[in-house]
Amino acid sequence: MNKKRYAIVGTGSRAGMYVKAITDTYSDVAELVALCDVSQTRMDWYNRLVETATYPAAEFDRMIAETRPDIVIVATVDATHHHYIVRAMELGCDVMSEKPMTTDDGKVRAIFDGIARTGKSLRVTFNYRYSPAYTKFREIIASGVIGRPLSVDFSWLLDTSHGADYFRRWHREKRNSGGLLVHKSTHHFDLVNWWIA
């Protein structure tokens, strides 16, 4: 069986779940062929776990040409997602992107234009769906045991540890994340839509 070849651009903490999935959980069908980032230090950290080719962000095109991934996983700063999504498609790859897809309507249009031009696919990942409690909640709603939802009132409290963390890293700058509503609330809008769909 031919393994799907994956390259990851953006090797901050978000990349960890993808690296583990590719090199451990799904290693029988997946192969990590390259990492790409602005930080060699971060790529070196992952290479202590699994050795693979590394490329500086400025050499993204060379990475694609030399390692020939089937799928590029985009886990960079949110405001740069569109650049890597569109370029990967132009270079012949399908793409998986960390949420949010991007941060503003102009970048969304660029992504959809890229999909139309290249015929390549894009999947946006929402990892909260795989939390056991949220998955169970969806099963309960889908079963109909509590009836059909007619209205949703959803609140989320960002505590002083996890919530405050967003304001200590790159997320705090709206130019990077699109703001807390885009960066964090994409999880919540996705959950509600997934639960009641």
Side-chain angles (χ1 to χ4, degrees), residues 5-23 31-38 43 46 50 52-57 60 63-64 67 69 71-76 84 96 98:
R5 299 169 59 81
Y6 291 85
I8 300 174
V9 57
T11 58
S13 62
R14 292 171 158 184
M17 69 181 138
Y18 300 105
V19 170
K20 181 173 176 20
I22 294 166
T23 62
E31 178 183 6
L32 181 62
V33 297
L35 299 171
C36 182
D37 200 285
V38 295
M43 291 187 288
Y46 282 109
V50 56
T52 193
T54 61
Y55 292 83
F60 180 78
M63 176 195 71
I64 301 292
T67 64
I71 300 168
V72 172
I73 297 172
V74 178
T76 60
Y84 293 108
M96 290 176 63
E98 176 66 28

Side-chain angles (χ1 to χ4, degrees), residues 40 43 76 168 193 196:
Q40 186 64 47
M43 291 187 288
T76 60
R168 289 191 281 267
N193 284 320
I196 65 174

Side-chain angles (χ1 to χ4, degrees), residues 32-156:
L32 181 62
V33 297
L35 299 171
C36 182
D37 200 285
V38 295
S39 170
Q40 186 64 47
T41 301
R42 284 195 300 255
M43 291 187 288
D44 290 345
W45 188 88
Y46 282 109
N47 268 333
R48 289 184 304 142
L49 306 171
V50 56
E51 204 165 315
T52 193
T54 61
Y55 292 83
E59 297 182 9
F60 180 78
D61 287 17
R62 184 168 74 89
M63 176 195 71
I64 301 292
E66 291 180 359
T67 64
R68 301 176 328 280
D70 299 301
I71 300 168
V72 172
I73 297 172
V74 178
T76 60
V77 170
D78 300 346
T80 64
H81 286 185
H82 71 292
H83 168 73
Y84 293 108
I85 291 169
V86 172
R87 191 65 187 137
M89 290 177 172
E90 290 171 345
L91 294 172
C93 303
D94 290 323
V95 180
M96 290 176 63
S97 179
E98 176 66 28
K99 67 83 198 156
M101 182 171 63
T102 191
T103 57
D104 65 48
D105 64 334
K107 293 172 183 175
V108 168
R109 291 174 203 276
I111 290 168
F112 280 103
D113 288 347
I115 293 168
R117 250 190 359 269
T118 65
K120 296 314 235 176
S121 71
L122 169 65
R123 286 172 281 169
V124 180
T125 62
F126 291 94
N127 58 11
Y128 266 16
R129 287 186 179 196
Y130 302 99
S131 169
Y134 303 148
T135 302
K136 185 63 175 175
F137 188 64
R138 182 174 194 263
E139 290 171 7
I140 291 168
I141 292 173
S143 75
V145 70
I146 60 172
R148 187 172 67 86
L150 301 176
S151 176
V152 175
D153 181 4
F154 185 72
S155 298
W156 195 274

